[in-house]
Amino acid sequence: MDFASFFEAGFDGHASPFPYQRALAELPWPETMSIPTGIGKTAAVVLAWAYKRAMGDSQTPRRLVYCLPMRVLVEQTAKVAASWFSSLEEAGLIAVVPGIHVLMGGELDNSWDINPDQDALIIGTQDQLLSRALNRGYGMSRFRWPVHFALLNNDCLWVLDEVQLMGIGLTTSAQLQAFRDKLGTLLPVSSLWMSATLNPTWLRTVDFAMRADNLTSLELSEGDRRTEQVARRFQAAKPLERAELDPLDNNAVAELVLKAHRPGTRTLVIKNTVKQAQELYECLAKAKLDANLVLLHSRYRPRDRTAALERLLAEPKEAGTICVSTQVVEAGVDVSSSTLISDLAPWASMVQRFGRCNRDGTLDDARVCWLKPDLSKKKATAPYEPEGLRDSMVMLEGLRDVGPQNLPSFTAGAVEGQTIRKKDLVDLFDTTPDLAGSDIDISRYIRETADLDLQVFWRDLPEESDLQDQDAPSREELCSVPVQDLAAMREKGLAFWAWDHLEAAWVRPGNLHPGMTVMLPARGGGYSRELGWTGDKKHIPEVLPTLSAKPDSDKGDSTAETVWQSLADHTNAVVRELEAILEAVTPEALAWEGVLLAAARWHDAGKAHEVYQGAMTAEAESPDIETTWAKRGGGRIIYKRNGFRHELASALAMLEEGLPDLAAYLAAAHHGKVRLSIRSLPHEDRPEEPDRRFARGIWDGDRLPQADLGGNVRLSPMEMDLSYMELGQGPKGASWTGRMLELRDDPTLGPFRLAMLEALLRVADWRGSRREG
């Protein structure tokens, strides 16, 4: 099967690949790709990856991680990829359709992590993907962080698109690739950086600098430029003029838009901030236009944002379409306008904006107009630095047409900001909060400070409501909001809540930080279906349906929807799942097969503890009081000791039995709650003896009874020894923390390999639990 036939089938025969698209599929993956906007970068990458996987290319990882700077780009990429895969399946060219999973604020598909042995296209924003790659995933259960850290740093091709919009996230992406190269991964990971305005010097980060000067690159060839479609786009006419008005005067801008708009066409107006876009939209709305008026930005709930995007992309009717947007349409959104009016932005962004006018070169009456700001006013330059706007202004002053063939090249400098180093990455491997309950702040590595968001959702909360009855938010409820906006509303008296996983309760949060999820009272306002997030108390949002599911916590455990399962039967199921995963993944994981299988066999040994067995039968009658149970039919089990973790008991038993430290770590970490350290938590119950050690519901001297672990392995009766929680050398040798740090820092393991081994056991446990009964 040749790639041209594969590509054409993906488009139902309506498109053929350009030469550069064929090269991408037929040659080894490049590391950078500089292709002008509108010439199929997304199709090239997604279909080349699917083709290589279908052809059994061993150099192409099973997960394609498509990282984009904005939410709107994610939605459209997921939609077109689904149509390509569907067409390929109908044509019989792919036997198994890769899963498509979306990760962005307000829409988090976490189902992909249970299938690390299957092909998957994971499309997300840099906030969601980079935070997960740094082991602090935004908007997800903290206990699942290590699995996503593992799967996004092993067996992946990272494609970072529209890198000119990524800011400090671009630096972080290069640093992460450098760390993978130096620390090693269990399965290969590579990166491909793409943009129409890519400057390779942006990738000269402190740890990636040597590689950055020798990256393989793919650009348009002469063969590409000779094709009719590419030639037409390069020669597209886009006459340029400057409007003599204040960009902050939205009444004047609205008059300009109304004069410039022509019936039957699409007019696109790009403002630099959400607030400015909302104000201009309201000015235009007052004119009671016949044209379809659309507002598009990043601060909508998913359903409202999707509706706005669909209205923008719809073919203009007789009166035409006027869309007021922010930077979300700069890249990745396949939309073209007859008239483009834009605030001034840095040159790379202006080039992208020009690509939204007369995109395919078929119009002979296109028009582009830019608005010149007063660079001495901070409000006029936000959110950009004046220097970048000044450079862009100089470029524009000499132009009369901004078609691709007329655009001069300009190289902007690299983004300055906090650069993550190896020590930072290694420190992030441990997901245990500090003594104050806080986590390491990674936001400075994701986006510039002014761009940091959290997620909010609204509920009907009467003044005296019992907040603890509130369910976890559904993806449809969530809206991205700047941290500083919510902080300002709190100063004005608005009360809101966040979930405390330790206390298993909704609490008033202290510090607000990017990526957190906050519950707001609907009566406090702040959201309009038409305008999105406004922060205005007069805008009362509709309260949407919930998940009817409680947030995850450190109190108790959820049980799978199964029948009663004995410890031996459950363990046998997990071992079978792990063997199947190891067979499917690759030989690289087989070097640790023995220790992985030992960890699987012992991972639930601690469930023999009386606290666990008592919780199993506290609210449900056991079919057999003589059996050691691992699972029961659905519901949540609550322990008589707060914070009890059976996996810590399993790990301690394994150390007593002389099993390898690595096996003990994998068993301890299989719920993401016990990892590099053993420490008592504030909410735990204390033993009566003041000198008795205790941690995670295990008390020094607790007894584990004899139990059948399946596979002809039996747990012998023993006492729990918590001397391992002390620092330094103890009666049993090195402490738990000392042993675990040695594993993390072992050059044959390192954080990425160790995390992947951890993830393989956790996935086997999930799948073993899911398939029982």
Side-chain angles (χ1 to χ4, degrees), residues 443-511:
S443 60
R444 59 190 183 277
Y445 308 131
I446 304 293
R447 286 190 186 272
E448 286 64 56
T449 305
D451 295 331
L452 301 177
D453 288 353
L454 45 70
Q455 304 292 312
V456 303
F457 64 100
W458 289 266
R459 294 283 171 81
D460 283 323
L461 302 174
E463 295 291 349
E464 303 300 325
S465 172
D466 181 3
L467 298 176
Q468 306 321 315
D469 291 338
Q470 295 299 318
D471 293 324
S474 69
R475 66 180 62 177
E476 290 299 320
E477 291 182 89
L478 294 171
C479 177
S480 291
V481 170
V483 171
Q484 62 268 27
D485 279 19
L486 201 58
M489 293 180 72
R490 178 161 62 181
E491 290 180 4
K492 295 179 181 178
L494 180 69
F496 46 76
W497 296 264
W499 180 253
D500 186 316
H501 72 279
L502 291 178
E503 297 297 332
W506 293 100
V507 300
R508 298 276 186 93
N511 294 329

Side-chain angles (χ1 to χ4, degrees), residues 75-364:
E75 293 169 325
Q76 190 162 352
T77 302
K79 183 177 181 180
V80 296
S83 69
W84 297 330
F85 290 165
S86 176
S87 296
L88 289 168
E89 183 184 26
E90 289 178 8
L93 297 184
I94 50 176
V96 179
V97 179
I100 301 176
H101 306 279
V102 170
L103 297 176
M104 61 181 182
E107 187 163 354
L108 300 175
D109 179 353
N110 291 328
S111 64
W112 60 275
D113 59 8
I114 200 170
N115 295 307
D117 48 347
Q118 296 180 10
D119 288 2
L121 170 57
I122 302 166
I123 311 171
T125 59
Q126 68 186 70
D127 307 64
Q128 295 296 335
L129 291 172
L130 291 179
S131 65
R132 283 163 170 71
L134 293 176
N135 214 8
R136 293 296 184 276
Y138 287 172
M140 64 179 293
S141 168
R142 64 181 299 112
F143 307 121
R144 220 162 171 131
W145 287 347
V147 180
H148 287 205
F149 172 75
L151 299 185
L152 292 176
N153 285 300
N154 286 277
D155 207 3
C156 292
L157 170 62
W158 275 75
V159 174
L160 302 114
D161 199 1
E162 309 298 356
V163 298
Q164 78 284 350
L165 301 176
M166 286 186 66
I168 196 61
L170 177 59
T171 300
T172 298
S173 71
Q175 286 292 96
L176 275 169
Q177 188 60 50
F179 300 149
R180 297 174 191 127
D181 295 341
K182 293 177 181 179
L183 297 172
T185 58
L186 188 66
L187 300 163
V189 183
S190 56
S191 297
L192 168 58
W193 291 274
M194 303 194 309
S195 172
T197 53
L198 178 64
N199 177 1
T201 64
W202 294 342
L203 299 173
R204 282 191 197 143
T205 64
V206 60
D207 291 293
F208 199 64
M210 293 186 65
R211 275 201 59 193
D213 291 332
N214 299 285
L215 298 176
T216 56
S217 180
L218 178 64
E219 299 180 353
L220 290 186
S221 65
E222 284 304 313
D224 290 300
R225 295 177 185 275
R226 285 195 296 269
T227 61
E228 179 182 354
Q229 185 178 352
V230 174
R232 187 172 64 242
R233 292 193 177 215
F234 263 93
Q235 296 164 10
K238 305 180 185 184
L240 178 71
E241 59 185 80
R242 187 182 79 194
E244 300 297 333
L245 55 80
D246 180 1
L248 297 178
D249 184 351
N250 281 310
N251 287 314
V253 176
E255 290 184 19
L256 172 66
V257 173
L258 295 175
K259 290 179 181 178
H261 177 68
R262 287 165 290 167
T265 70
R266 182 184 289 116
T267 295
L268 180 59
V269 189
I270 304 179
K271 301 293 288 182
N272 286 345
T273 68
V274 173
K275 185 175 181 181
Q276 280 284 303
Q278 290 171 330
E279 289 180 0
L280 176 58
Y281 174 86
E282 290 185 300
C283 288
L284 290 168
K286 292 175 183 177
K288 301 188 182 305
L289 304 171
D290 292 330
N292 176 26
L293 183 60
V294 182
L295 176 64
L296 186 64
H297 55 74
S298 61
R299 310 208 184 282
Y300 280 108
R301 293 191 290 201
R303 184 177 63 186
D304 299 332
R305 183 173 60 248
T306 298
L309 183 61
E310 289 175 350
R311 291 175 61 208
L312 166 63
L313 297 178
E315 190 67 25
K317 295 183 179 179
E318 183 178 354
T321 297
I322 298 176
C323 176
V324 181
S325 177
T326 59
Q327 300 92 324
V328 297
V329 297
E330 274 185 24
V333 179
D334 191 9
V335 64
S336 182
S337 62
S338 297
T339 303
L340 173 69
I341 300 173
S342 174
D343 279 350
L344 183 66
W347 184 246
S349 291
M350 293 303 291
V351 171
Q352 297 293 337
R353 295 180 187 190
F354 299 152
R356 307 306 123 189
C357 180
N358 195 14
R359 191 167 173 81
D360 57 7
T362 58
L363 301 177
D364 55 13

